[in-house]
Amino acid sequence: MCLGLAACSGEDPDAGTNGVAKLTAPKIQSRTVKAAQGAGAVHLSGTVVSSGHSYKIDMRLKDEGGTGSVTTGGRTFQLLRVKEHLFLKADADFWTHQDSKGSDSTAHGDTAAADKLDGKYVKVPQGDPAYKRLSGFTVKGALLDGLLTLHGKVEKGDRGSSDGVRTVELTGDKGAGGTLDVSLEGTPYPLRLERAGGAGTLQLTDWGKDFTLSEPGKSEMVDYGAQLPTS
């Protein structure tokens, strides 16, 4: 008795794929991490929960830097990094209400100072504590290394799809340690990640699709020198 259409027809469920679904889970994981590390660029979007704070991110990243937006605490700011130079852009409300002592803040100031910063890129000094925290959203290699880690025993799950692309699922600790959907079409890039412990869900798209990075012009930027504006 035939137990399934594929068995009856003799069809290969991996026909037309890149074949990685036939590999063991550790080998699939190794290939997808290698593919991600070797890609020239990626578009990362979704949510990340870290140190009790939730961040909605929409970033385009490559080795030389990145650009995009981060939303946390109901406020959104733009980040742009070109090599070692990091820039932050936000509206006056953001600058007025930030608490410089908060773990996810950058600076706060009075209304007059905030108005000057409204819609302008502010160069973040490398010596400012905010530089390391904010630049972390723009460093492709380090960000991917941290996000693509599955905790616990890695196992192969079901075949599925992500935005119409066929995928195979990898799970850590039966899903408690995270779930990663790997492309079965073309290069085995990671396409969707559910982080362990409910720490966010991310879509990874536009692998290898280059984009232009350039520093803002003088009319678009405010340089505060040694530290970000505070009051």
Side-chain angles (χ1 to χ4, degrees):
M1 179 182 293
C2 290
L3 300 178
L5 292 178
C8 292
S9 64
E11 291 180 0
D12 181 357
D14 295 310
T17 73
N18 54 26
V20 298
K22 297 179 180 179
L23 303 176
T24 64
K27 286 186 177 180
I28 296 174
Q29 183 182 34
S30 175
R31 290 211 183 173
T32 194
V33 169
K34 183 177 180 180
Q37 292 173 338
V42 64
H43 182 191
L44 204 63
S45 61
T47 57
V48 174
V49 179
S50 178
S51 301
H53 297 279
S54 179
Y55 302 90
K56 181 180 179 182
I57 65 175
D58 188 351
M59 299 293 300
R60 296 183 67 88
L61 307 170
K62 60 182 181 179
D63 293 338
E64 302 86 63
T67 182
S69 66
V70 178
T71 301
T72 185
R75 295 186 176 89
T76 300
F77 54 90
Q78 306 289 320
L79 288 175
L80 168 65
R81 184 177 64 84
V82 183
K83 296 183 179 179
E84 72 275 14
H85 295 159
L86 178 67
F87 304 89
L88 167 66
K89 182 169 74 170
D91 60 17
D93 181 68
F94 173 90
W95 291 106
T96 301
H97 292 91
Q98 294 309 297
D99 175 6
S100 63
K101 296 180 181 179
S103 62
D104 64 340
S105 64
T106 55
H108 71 285
D110 58 27
T111 302
D115 286 343
K116 293 179 181 179
L117 300 174
D118 185 27
K120 295 285 189 179
Y121 280 103
V122 176
K123 190 173 184 180
V124 183
Q126 292 187 47
D128 193 289
Y131 183 92
K132 183 177 181 180
R133 184 171 62 250
L134 295 174
S135 63
F137 289 108
T138 69
V139 181
K140 171 181 164 283
L143 192 59
L144 289 177
D145 286 346
L147 293 175
L148 295 180
T149 299
L150 295 176
H151 302 280
K153 183 180 179 181
V154 179
E155 297 179 303
K156 184 166 55 176
D158 296 331
R159 293 171 175 78
S161 65
S162 178
D163 289 334
V165 178
R166 286 182 290 178
T167 60
V168 63
E169 182 183 77
L170 291 180
T171 62
D173 194 20
K174 300 187 183 300
T179 301
L180 187 65
D181 292 339
V182 178
S183 176
L184 290 179
E185 301 180 19
T187 305
Y189 291 123
L191 300 182
R192 184 177 183 274
L193 170 69
E194 289 186 23
R195 301 184 71 208
T201 301
L202 291 165
Q203 298 288 140
L204 303 97
T205 59
D206 295 336
W207 286 103
K209 187 176 181 179
D210 197 15
F211 59 96
T212 301
L213 275 178
S214 58
E215 294 191 13
K218 289 185 177 180
S219 63
E220 304 173 279
M221 181 177 65
V222 176
D223 190 342
Y224 266 77
Q227 67 181 65
L228 285 175
T230 59
S231 66

